[in-house]
């Protein structure tokens, strides 16, 4: 395997890009300045054909000196509606908006990858496409919008990575098969009959009925699902009532369903409605039920995953490459995997001494920036390796 001998992009440059992006976060489908910064940076790199497939996304193409296959590498760029609570010098300058999931780092890593592979164009057999994707955090997501614009046409492999707080910095996390879950959402409205809190016999109590629904939803995972099929059903909202002495007419319950199997998603939606229908009917109430399918599960291709794992071990040593458990978080990288085989892996950022221990989506989330070079180096070498050898 040809390994990287010279670091074309310095750690300092990666940190500079990441901190600029961290200071200037933008929400999903509003990444105007972010995408312009990426576009301007890429157009200064030789050998790249830079385009805007959609309003807020950027794609760069690097065609190697030898014919071959097409590899796509993806990074997301959107931030979250969170008020940052960190105190370092490069905190968010946009009130209520924060890079609390590492997308600033993802973008910096891919910028560095594009610059380094451009300098090593003679090592590329085929073509590399760099996807700087908007709106990963908000369904229906930017991935599908980019795909609809044609970015995956002719792509043979697709890879991506997530900076990962649960994983120690210096480690690479590899998952074969199902890596991330589908983030589906349900919403239930129970309609009863309101009345005086002191005369419950004259009402159809939507809160009491709703409490039974919540309790019985727990049986879906505990008693009706194969224990070897990962499934999460979480009630995350319960809204009802406005006064201490009034039983409300209605109650609203909402939550999320997480699964690695599409068939299980459909079955779970049906089970939820069966429970709601039975309980409300037994107590003289009515209901409405909505189930919104989110992103599909991220399911890695074994052959591409094995290649990424091998490259990582060659670069960093076997002790730094670990098999990690799937996560029930969701990711719209799954949309790309519907069109080409690929792998989504994890790059550790956790470091107690750097205080990079907070979970994703926390107002004090940050990363150990040493992970930026690690992610960049793996992307660069993986691109060379995947395009040089046939992946069965």
């Amino acid at each position: 395997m040809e390994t990287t001998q010279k670091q074309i992009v310095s750690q300092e440059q990666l940190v500079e890009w990441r901190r600029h992006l961290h200071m200037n976060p933008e929400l999903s489908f509003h990444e105007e300045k972010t995408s312009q910064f990426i576009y301007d940076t890429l157009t200064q790199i030789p050998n790249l054909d830079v385009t805007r497939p959609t309003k807020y996304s950027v794609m760069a193409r690097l065609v190697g000196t030898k014919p071959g296959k097409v590899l796509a590498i993806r990074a997301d760029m959107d931030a979250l509606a969170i008020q940052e609570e960190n105190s370092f010098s490069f905190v968010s300058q946009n009130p209520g908006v924060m890079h609390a999931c590492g997308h600033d780092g993802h973008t910096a890593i891919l910028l560095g990858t594009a610059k380094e592979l451009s300098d090593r164009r003679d090592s590329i057999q085929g073509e590399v496409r760099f996807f700087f994707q908007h709106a990963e955090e908000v369904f229906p997501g930017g991935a599908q919008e980019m795909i609809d614009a044609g970015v995956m046409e002719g792509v043979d492999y697709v890879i991506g990575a997530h900076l990962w707080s649960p994983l120690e910095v210096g480690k690479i996390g590899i998952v074969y098969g199902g890596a991330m879950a589908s983030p589906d959402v349900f919403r239930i409205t129970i309609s009863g009959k309101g009345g005086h809190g002191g005369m419950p016999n004259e009402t159809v109590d939507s809160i009491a009925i709703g409490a039974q629904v919540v309790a019985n939803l727990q049986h879906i995972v505990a008693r009706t699902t194969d224990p070897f099929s990962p499934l999460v059903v979480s009630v995350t909202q319960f809204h009802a009532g406005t006064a201490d002495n009034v039983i409300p007419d209605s109650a609203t319950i909402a939550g999320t369903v997480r699964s690695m199997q599409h068939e299980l998603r459909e079955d779970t939606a049906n089970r939820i409605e069966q429970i709601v229908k039975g309980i409300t009917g037994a107590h003289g109430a009515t209901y409405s039920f909505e189930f919104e399918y989110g992103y599909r599960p991220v399911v890695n291709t074994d052959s591409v995953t094995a290649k990424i794992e091998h490259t990582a071990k060659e670069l960093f040593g076997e002790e730094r490459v670990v098999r990690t458990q799937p996560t029930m978080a969701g990711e719209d990288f799954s949309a790309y995997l519907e069109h080409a085989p690929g792998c989504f892996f994890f790059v550790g950022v956790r470091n107690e001494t750097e205080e990079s221990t907070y979970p994703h989506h926390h107002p004090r989330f940050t990363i150990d920036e040493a992970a930026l070079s690690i992610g960049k180096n793996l992307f660069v070498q993986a691109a060379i390796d995947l395009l040089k050898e046939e992946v069965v």
Side-chain angles (χ1 to χ4, degrees), residues 104-363:
D104 50 346
H106 299 168
T107 301
I109 287 169
L110 194 56
L111 286 172
T113 302
K115 184 173 176 61
E116 198 148 303
L117 284 174
S118 170
D119 192 80
R120 302 183 64 195
R121 180 168 171 256
D122 289 344
S123 299
I124 301 298
Q125 295 182 194
E127 176 187 333
V128 183
R129 296 182 192 174
F130 307 94
F131 295 168
F132 294 85
Q133 181 205 308
H134 59 304
E136 184 276 329
E137 296 286 359
V138 175
F139 186 79
Q144 189 59 54
E145 190 173 13
M146 290 187 72
I147 291 167
D148 291 343
V151 300
M152 287 294 290
E153 292 176 6
V155 171
D156 295 289
Y157 314 118
V158 59
I159 61 174
H162 208 303
L163 296 173
W164 204 235
S165 178
L167 191 63
E168 181 184 356
V169 68
K171 298 289 183 68
I172 302 297
I174 300 292
V175 184
Y176 282 81
M180 303 187 78
S182 54
D184 301 327
V185 176
F186 63 87
R187 188 177 185 87
I188 304 159
T189 299
I190 297 170
S191 299
K193 177 184 176 184
H196 198 292
M199 301 176 223
N201 57 300
E202 297 181 358
T203 73
V204 176
D205 191 338
S206 60
I207 291 180
I209 296 168
Q212 290 189 47
V213 168
V214 172
N216 278 271
L217 289 181
Q218 311 311 309
H219 289 274
I220 294 175
V221 174
R223 289 295 177 266
T224 63
T225 303
D226 184 336
F228 292 100
S229 298
L231 178 69
V232 171
V233 178
S234 291
V235 173
T236 56
Q237 299 182 58
F238 193 133
H239 303 285
T242 57
D244 296 340
N245 61 348
V246 178
I247 293 174
D249 282 320
S250 65
T252 300
I253 301 166
T256 186
V257 173
R258 305 294 172 115
S259 172
M260 297 288 181
Q261 301 169 293
H262 187 68
E263 299 77 14
L264 189 54
R265 301 166 76 188
E266 296 178 339
D267 184 61
T268 302
N270 292 333
R271 289 183 186 277
I272 292 174
E273 185 167 16
Q274 286 173 0
I275 289 170
V276 176
K277 182 178 181 179
I279 292 174
T280 54
H283 295 282
T286 58
Y287 74 94
S288 66
F289 176 69
E290 301 172 20
F291 194 92
E292 181 179 20
Y293 288 97
Y295 308 140
R296 293 181 67 90
V298 174
V299 181
N300 287 332
T301 309
D302 285 353
S303 58
V304 181
T305 304
K307 194 66 185 175
I308 295 295
E309 183 177 34
H310 176 76
T311 298
K313 287 180 177 179
E314 289 286 318
L315 278 178
F316 309 121
E318 290 198 15
E319 71 282 355
R320 289 174 59 183
V321 182
V322 297
R323 299 279 183 93
T324 56
Q325 293 294 319
T327 172
M328 301 309 276
E331 240 287 354
D332 75 342
F333 185 81
S334 57
Y336 301 113
L337 292 172
E338 294 289 303
H339 295 266
C343 176
F344 194 73
F345 58 91
F346 301 94
V347 178
V349 298
R350 187 178 188 85
N351 188 336
E352 297 283 347
T353 61
E354 296 287 333
E355 294 190 355
S356 55
T357 58
Y358 291 93
H360 294 265
H361 296 205
H362 189 281

